[in-house]
Amino acid sequence: MCATQGGSVIDYVLGDPELSQEYIIRGITRNLDSAKARQLKAKVEVVQDDVLDRRSLETALNGVHTIFAMTTPTLGADGFDIEYNSGKRIADVAVEQGAQYVIFSTLPAVREIAGGKYTKVIYFDAKAKVEQYMRGLPTKSAFYCPGSFMENFHQSVLAPRRAPDGKGFITWHVSPQTKFPLLAVVDDSGKFVGSILAEPDKYEGKKFCAATALYILGSIAAIMSKVSRKTIVYKQISPEGFKESLSSIPFAGEIFTEGFNYYEEFGYFGPDTKGLVSWAAENARGSTLDL
């Protein structure tokens, strides 16, 4: 249900000789008139749905056998409840409409893995709770758990900041040795979800902690310099300075400060991050983008 992840899955299935014959795709979007929706209509059937509207969700999922779904983060005091309830609603309606299999885009349970130390990373914990709920339903399920998007280093508020002399700085508060499991979400999401679609029984109940590999922040800056041919360096700043850099977005400072602290201390996917990433990469349906 997300244009980026869902679009990757759609393109992968349409381009795969086996999956394209096995699956008839229905794309679901909140806005049928958006540019991305119009592009999607040229490829597959597209229907409108708002996950907050149960009736439209029932219509969108009517007659569907297999669902790839995700929830959209909501920043705010009630963000956890809004996202969790959206995911729960998708799961409940999927069961009611007779869906046989749900693939859910989840994230690690930060609060649980950290033993309650970090509580602000609500968009991770909300998805993790939806995953837990889905595992208790009669419908079969599997899970796609993406790492840190490579695209975010270019397009989001976390992208390098430019100095007047043209030099770029990634200015975060954690050590340059902090490891991030990087994923080219547009190019590679479909390869992980495609494995589940190709062998649903084999991967029932399994979770793909999806990434190409683990990269330290210092190396990420060096890779970006090489590719862009512009100097980019990693500069560690104080937690207070990092929060201030995100002050224009409500709640973002607390969420990302705690989130990056969690990555540094416990690993993005938890203590066995390296092993989980290796398993997912080995089971992906095709080679992932290598930096």
Side-chain angles (χ1 to χ4, degrees):
M1 292 184 176
C2 169
T4 304
Q5 296 180 41
S8 178
V9 173
I10 287 172
D11 287 342
Y12 184 84
V13 171
L14 291 176
D16 184 277
E18 296 177 14
L19 297 180
S20 61
Q21 296 300 310
E22 185 174 353
Y23 291 93
I24 298 173
I25 300 173
R26 175 186 297 169
I28 299 174
T29 180
R30 283 176 293 184
N31 183 5
L32 289 173
D33 296 321
S34 70
K36 290 185 177 180
R38 290 195 297 270
Q39 293 172 2
L40 193 58
K41 290 177 185 178
K43 304 175 184 178
V44 298
E45 174 194 7
V46 181
V47 299
Q48 191 276 336
D49 166 54
D50 181 349
V51 296
L52 299 179
D53 179 356
R54 188 182 184 91
R55 182 168 295 180
S56 74
L57 188 58
E58 291 170 351
T59 299
L61 299 185
N62 182 49
V64 173
H65 180 280
T66 300
I67 299 167
F68 173 69
M70 71 165 293
T71 51
T72 303
T74 299
L75 300 182
D78 55 354
F80 177 92
D81 291 334
I82 291 174
E83 186 168 3
Y84 170 68
N85 288 329
S86 293
K88 183 177 180 295
R89 189 176 302 111
I90 292 170
D92 289 341
V93 172
V95 172
E96 293 169 7
Q97 294 298 314
Q100 300 300 300
Y101 207 107
V102 177
I103 303 169
F104 181 65
S105 179
T106 186
L107 282 173
V110 170
R111 183 192 291 258
E112 178 182 337
I113 293 170
K117 183 174 182 178
Y118 299 119
T119 62
K120 307 291 188 183
V121 196
I122 56 174
Y123 68 102
F124 274 53
D125 286 332
K127 289 180 173 64
K129 188 176 180 182
V130 174
E131 174 193 338
Q132 183 182 38
Y133 179 76
M134 286 185 175
R135 288 183 180 276
L137 297 176
T139 301
K140 294 179 180 180
S141 58
F143 302 92
Y144 168 66
C145 189
S148 186
F149 296 176
M150 294 181 187
E151 291 84 351
N152 286 346
F153 284 85
H154 295 280
Q155 301 171 353
S156 76
V157 294
L158 301 177
R161 301 173 186 276
R162 290 286 173 186
D165 62 1
K167 181 181 289 187
F169 293 92
I170 300 174
T171 52
W172 298 352
H173 67 291
V174 291
S175 163
Q177 299 302 310
T178 303
K179 295 179 179 179
F180 280 68
L182 294 188
L183 170 74
V185 64
V186 175
D187 290 337
D188 290 341
S189 290
K191 297 171 186 175
F192 294 99
V193 177
S195 288
I196 301 171
L197 293 172
E199 299 182 89
D201 291 337
K202 176 180 178 180
Y203 293 113
E204 181 187 355
K206 298 291 195 300
K207 178 159 60 178
F208 279 76
C209 294
T212 295
L214 297 176
Y215 299 86
I216 63 172
L217 283 171
S219 294
I220 292 171
I223 292 168
M224 292 181 70
S225 291
K226 182 179 179 180
V227 172
S228 67
R229 297 182 180 179
K230 298 179 180 178
T231 301
I232 298 173
V233 298
Y234 180 73
K235 180 180 179 181
Q236 186 175 359
I237 61 176
S238 69
E240 293 74 23
F242 180 68
K243 281 185 181 180
E244 178 61 27
S245 72
L246 299 175
S247 60
S248 62
I249 307 173
F251 299 95
E254 289 185 344
I255 291 172
F256 283 105
T257 300
E258 280 210 356
F260 289 173
N261 286 342
Y262 158 78
Y263 301 171
E264 182 177 32
E265 185 173 355
F266 294 95
Y268 185 100
F269 295 116
D272 191 30
T273 289
K274 183 177 180 180
L276 293 170
V277 168
S278 295
W279 181 88
E282 290 168 1
N283 285 272
R285 193 173 168 89
S287 299
T288 55
L289 180 65
D290 192 11
L291 297 181

